[in-house]
Amino acid sequence: GSIREVTTVIPIRSFRFCSPNVNMPHFIIVLLAFSSLLTGLNAFTVVPSLSSQPPTSTRAGSSPSTTMLHMTALKPAAMPLMDAGKAFARSGELLIEVTSKIDLYGGALSATGALIRNSGDCIAQAAASARFKTGFELVIDELREASSQLVEATFKLKLATEEAKADKNEELAKLLTESVPAMNALSISLEDAGKSMMQGKTAKEVGASLLECGESLETLSVQMRGYAPQLTESSDAGQRMAFAAERMRDAGYELTGTSPDANSKPKGKGWIKG
């Protein structure tokens, strides 16, 4: 207990009555020293902390080396993912140019192009961070931000469809309506890729999500060419989207260790367990 508690329980006067030979100043000094000793021992008591505990894994059979592999899981896919992000962003810029040529600049379709550009920039930034172990969390954040941009783009596509119908442009409205599911699927696949990394899943599972992204991009590329087929910008936008699809699939192949040719050998580092 503290000194205050001791002096309260054992008053000095009553203690002196019981022990008349005790030198009170000496007794108080000894009592103070004993109290200080107890305080010092409490200060040096070792309390286990979360940081001192050995790392645990959410997956059976994992090991520290497996965990370190996850920290650079996207490294073999960094370059194709970078190309995919840049091409995707460029397709968004070209879509904005298309809207300016068909007097839709500033509308929902123009906003869709801006959101595609932002999403592509996020994917490219994720690829840049994927080459470094310390960039693991940045990769997750950028992939999920890219997905968030496409969630908004999906909403804008729906709004653009209504605008096209109001302008009695039925062909454009039809293509935009068909683009909505692919844009939504692309958003979900990017979110799944980031979530898989955050949950410590295997590189193969992350790669599977990227392959799904490639399929959605391929669908969007076909539809985007038809937005304004008479314009070079619309054709170019579709071509850049198609290239983004191809490179996104390449990134997925690197992580899954597969390729379009079923007879080919595994490529990249997908053969590494974990």
Side-chain angles (χ1 to χ4, degrees):
S2 65
I3 298 174
R4 183 176 298 176
E5 291 173 350
V6 173
T7 54
T8 301
V9 176
I10 307 176
I12 295 176
R13 182 176 299 176
S14 40
F15 187 88
R16 182 179 297 173
F17 176 79
C18 296
S19 305
N21 296 326
V22 173
N23 189 324
M24 289 308 300
H26 290 172
F27 170 76
I28 293 175
I29 292 173
V30 171
L31 193 59
L32 285 171
F34 181 73
S35 178
S36 299
L37 177 62
L38 290 178
T39 303
L41 289 175
N42 288 334
F44 283 98
T45 301
V46 177
V47 179
S49 63
L50 291 177
S51 61
S52 64
Q53 299 300 317
T56 58
S57 173
T58 57
R59 299 183 296 112
S62 63
S63 63
S65 60
T66 303
T67 303
M68 292 306 295
L69 174 64
H70 290 316
M71 298 302 288
T72 55
L74 284 183
K75 186 174 181 179
M79 289 309 299
L81 191 64
M82 173 76 75
D83 293 340
K86 289 180 178 179
F88 190 44
R90 180 55 183 158
S91 70
E93 294 174 348
L94 288 167
L95 180 57
I96 296 173
E97 294 180 18
V98 169
T99 61
S100 66
K101 294 288 183 67
I102 59 177
D103 298 327
L104 292 178
Y105 184 79
L109 188 56
S110 181
T112 300
L115 290 164
I116 290 174
R117 178 191 60 201
N118 294 344
S119 180
D121 288 341
C122 290
I123 293 172
Q125 183 58 52
S129 301
R131 294 174 296 172
F132 307 102
K133 182 173 66 177
T134 54
F136 184 73
E137 292 183 1
L138 291 175
V139 175
I140 296 173
D141 290 342
E142 293 295 344
L143 288 178
R144 303 188 78 177
E145 178 59 26
S147 172
S148 298
Q149 293 291 325
L150 295 181
V151 170
E152 183 67 17
T154 302
F155 172 76
K156 292 297 183 182
L157 270 180
K158 295 178 181 178
L159 186 58
T161 302
E162 299 302 320
E163 292 177 353
K165 290 179 179 178
D167 293 338
K168 301 187 184 305
N169 191 340
E170 296 299 330
E171 183 63 27
L172 178 59
K174 179 177 179 294
L175 288 170
L176 293 175
T177 300
E178 293 173 352
S179 299
V180 170
M183 187 72 74
N184 185 59
L186 178 59
S187 172
I188 292 173
S189 297
L190 283 171
E191 172 69 20
D192 287 345
K195 184 170 68 174
S196 294
M197 292 185 67
M198 185 174 65
Q199 293 176 344
K201 294 184 178 180
T202 63
K204 186 174 182 179
E205 290 173 285
V206 178
S209 295
L210 296 183
L211 288 174
E212 292 174 359
C213 289
E215 296 303 317
S216 299
L217 286 167
E218 186 67 37
T219 301
L220 285 171
S221 71
V222 175
Q223 294 159 350
M224 190 171 286
R225 286 188 179 98
Y227 288 170
Q230 73 279 11
L231 296 177
T232 303
E233 289 82 0
S234 183
S235 177
D236 290 345
Q239 289 176 4
R240 298 314 298 166
M241 188 79 77
F243 180 69
E246 178 185 344
R247 296 301 282 160
M248 185 69 77
R249 284 193 293 263
D250 287 342
Y253 294 142
E254 288 287 349
L255 298 181
T256 59
T258 60
S259 71
D261 183 1
N263 297 322
S264 65
K265 296 180 180 180
K267 56 189 295 188
K269 296 185 179 180
W271 54 272
I272 301 179
K273 184 178 179 181

